Amino acid sequence: MLKIVRAIPFFRLLAIAQTVLLVRRHVRMLDAGDRRRLAELVRRGRGMTPAEREELRGVLAKLEPRVFAATAADAFSPVHVPRWVKRRIEG
């Protein structure tokens, strides 16, 4: 594991760490039950029933994927996302 980390350039490691922290912030928006259910559904993968897939969509919607995408774009883009775009996305 350590050899892999040493082989990755520093700025790529920094980007991975920033992404992990951003994901963590959004996952923490879920309550403990939703986090647990999300993990269960993701582990099931392709074996999910249509009802479980719909439930997964509902849980993922709570994570505000549009806000996550805008935040990630703002963090990694050399050109910042305009405020009006952020306000529109955040609703």
Side-chain angles (χ1 to χ4, degrees):
M1 178 72 175
L2 190 57
K3 288 182 182 182
I4 293 172
V5 172
R6 286 186 181 161
I8 298 174
F10 175 74
F11 289 109
R12 199 166 284 177
L13 281 176
L14 186 61
I16 291 169
Q18 287 178 334
T19 304
V20 167
L21 291 175
L22 185 60
V23 167
R24 180 176 174 246
R25 185 181 328 153
H26 280 267
V27 170
R28 291 177 78 191
M29 287 188 223
L30 298 175
D31 61 27
D34 283 340
R35 284 193 301 267
R36 187 173 26 260
R37 187 62 179 150
L38 176 64
E40 290 170 3
L41 291 171
V42 169
R43 277 190 218 109
R44 286 192 58 121
R46 294 183 179 179
M48 285 188 282
T49 65
E52 288 173 329
R53 289 176 191 215
E54 193 59 38
E55 184 181 0
L56 178 62
R57 283 186 192 97
V59 173
L60 290 176
K62 292 179 183 179
L63 290 175
E64 300 179 347
R66 293 175 73 186
V67 174
F68 175 79
T71 307
D74 196 34
F76 296 110
S77 174
V79 179
H80 288 287
V81 176
R83 281 190 210 135
W84 68 270
V85 173
K86 289 181 191 177
R87 283 193 298 265
R88 184 171 178 218
I89 289 172
E90 292 173 358

